[in-house]
Amino acid sequence: MSKIALITGITGQDGAYLADLLIKKDYEIIGLVRSYSNGNIKGLSYLGIKDKVKIVECDLTDLSQVIATIKEYKPDEVYNLAAQSSVSLSFKQPIGTIQFNVVSVLNLLESIRMLDLNCKFYQASSSEVFGNAILPIKETTIINPISPYSISKAAAHWITKNYRESYGIFSCSGFLFNHESFLRSDNFFIKKIILQAIRIKNKQASTLEVGNIDIKRDFGWAPKYVEAMYLMLQQDVPDDYLICSNQSVSLRSIIEYVFEYLNIPLSCLVINMDLFRPTEIPDIYGDNTKAKQTLGWNYDLEFYDVLKILIDEELRNTK
């Protein structure tokens, strides 16, 4: 009998790749969207799986809807990927970001508790919760959020841990560092850089405007990162894990690589001070030893290899 996986945020990058992975493992997939009218299933269509996923409307901020949905489908595994996930947008919309990212997690876990459902719960956390920390980041690193987004994700993590320790629910958090793919939303840095660089190459734009690019981040390949989510829920004991590449690269070097690959002069790069964030982490990268040793997760990609994949895939899909 097939397992049932319920995925919130099914229309996002991770939701689509996770659904694809689980379908290949013979899961039945229930994908939650806030409303059918706003349900963007381009990612599912791109991967050729839109007809293999059951899309269900559910407002995660409405406890009664969440309870009814989980009661109806009785999932074996719940992957909570839904969130307002833009750091920069969270400074503009702090209340909405924190309310949704916290209440949605509470409602899902409380529904599982109230229904006494024997299912496993995965919470998508973020490396952003660690703020400016001693590197490399580890699972034991002190949480120190410095943005409304990271505050919301830190709270969601502690809620997940609390339900695990207080009620015995199999609930765990994955602290994922930046991970990219063709399905990444256009408002994220790597995707924006590549799309604008292609416009410059095609004479549709003349410059690329960026904020602070003298910072470093730990970037990875999204299809491999969702494998770690799945592996976390296959363990006998729930725990929290860092999912990362073990190294950081500067945003400036990424732009230079993309420009060189597309034969674009660096004179097209424009630094705009108005795009700098109120607070910024100068460098961050994690240690994925625990995920590799305990989960058996395998990751050895260099990010410049990932960049090449991303640029080539974007070029193939550019009309």
Side-chain angles (χ1 to χ4, degrees):
M1 191 177 198
S2 297
K3 284 186 177 181
I4 299 173
L6 186 149
I7 303 174
T8 74
I10 187 76
T11 60
Q13 165 189 261
D14 291 2
Y17 282 113
L18 178 62
D20 187 44
L21 173 70
L22 295 180
I23 286 169
K24 290 172 180 172
K25 295 182 181 295
D26 200 32
Y27 276 67
E28 179 183 343
I29 307 299
I30 310 298
L32 301 193
V33 296
R34 184 173 293 191
S35 69
Y36 294 123
S37 59
N38 295 325
N40 181 355
I41 59 170
K42 286 193 299 185
L44 300 176
S45 298
Y46 183 77
L47 297 178
I49 59 171
K50 70 170 181 145
D51 296 329
K52 300 177 182 178
V53 173
K54 182 177 180 61
I55 301 296
V56 174
E57 191 175 74
C58 180
D59 181 356
L60 294 176
T61 63
D62 185 332
L63 179 60
S64 62
Q65 285 191 41
V66 177
I67 291 173
T69 301
I70 290 183
K71 185 176 182 180
E72 178 176 357
Y73 294 103
K74 297 179 176 59
D76 298 285
E77 298 171 5
V78 174
Y79 295 87
N80 184 37
L81 312 183
Q84 191 302 95
S85 56
S86 168
V87 176
S88 57
L89 182 60
S90 76
F91 282 104
K92 299 174 183 176
Q93 300 177 3
I95 296 173
T97 297
I98 292 173
Q99 283 182 336
F100 181 83
N101 290 0
V102 172
V103 172
S104 58
V105 181
L106 266 173
N107 285 345
L108 286 162
L109 284 166
E110 184 65 4
S111 297
I112 292 170
R113 185 192 70 81
M114 290 173 66
L115 294 169
D116 195 22
L117 194 65
N118 183 27
C119 81
K120 296 180 176 182
F121 179 85
Y122 170 83
Q123 169 59 24
S125 194
S126 167
S127 60
E128 291 282 338
V129 304
F130 298 107
N132 291 301
I134 297 173
L135 302 177
I137 303 291
K138 298 183 179 182
E139 284 82 2
T140 54
T141 299
I142 294 173
I143 289 176
N144 180 34
I146 62 172
S147 70
Y149 168 73
S150 58
I151 289 169
S152 73
K153 283 296 186 178
H157 160 65
W158 288 119
I159 291 166
T160 302
K161 189 171 185 289
N162 178 251
Y163 271 76
R164 178 170 75 218
E165 295 176 348
S166 299
Y167 307 114
I169 292 174
F170 190 112
S171 54
C172 55
S173 295
F175 296 95
L176 271 64
F177 286 61
N178 298 73
H179 47 291
E180 313 300 320
S181 76
F182 175 74
L183 299 184
R184 190 65 139 154
S185 300
D186 292 357
N187 59 313
F188 285 90
F189 178 80
I190 300 295
K191 183 81 165 184
K192 283 196 293 188
I193 295 306
I194 294 174
L195 288 177
Q196 186 66 1
I198 291 174
R199 292 188 193 102
I200 295 171
K201 177 180 175 64
N202 293 336
K203 306 280 193 282
Q204 296 168 330
S206 57
T207 61
L208 167 66
E209 281 197 22
V210 295
N212 183 4
I213 57 173
D214 292 314
I215 57 175
K216 301 175 76 176
R217 292 291 182 267
D218 186 326
F219 289 100
W221 178 229
K224 284 292 296 180
Y225 279 36
V226 300
E227 290 179 10
M229 300 177 186
Y230 163 76
L231 289 170
M232 284 183 215
L233 297 198
Q234 310 316 306
Q235 305 305 303
D236 294 329
V237 178
D239 205 350
D240 306 319
Y241 297 86
L242 292 187
I243 307 303
C244 53
S245 74
N246 267 24
Q247 59 185 317
S248 60
V249 294
S250 75
L251 305 191
R252 185 179 293 276
S253 70
I254 289 170
I255 293 172
E256 290 172 350
Y257 179 94
V258 173
F259 275 30
E260 182 178 353
Y261 192 83
L262 295 174
N263 196 28
I264 297 170
L266 283 175
S267 57
C268 294
L269 178 63
V270 176
I271 307 296
N272 184 346
M273 298 292 289
D274 292 335
L275 298 177
F276 280 48
R277 291 175 182 169
T279 56
E280 192 64 90
I281 302 170
D283 188 10
I284 185 171
Y285 64 94
D287 180 347
N288 60 21
T289 301
K290 182 179 176 181
K292 285 185 172 181
Q293 291 181 347
T294 305
L295 302 177
W297 183 59
N298 177 37
Y299 191 86
D300 57 4
L301 291 170
E302 295 286 336
F303 189 62
Y304 297 110
D305 297 328
V306 175
L307 264 180
K308 184 180 184 302
I309 296 171
L310 295 175
I311 297 168
D312 288 343
E313 192 166 3
E314 208 67 62
L315 288 170
R316 286 197 302 272
N317 287 278
T318 299
K319 295 180 180 178

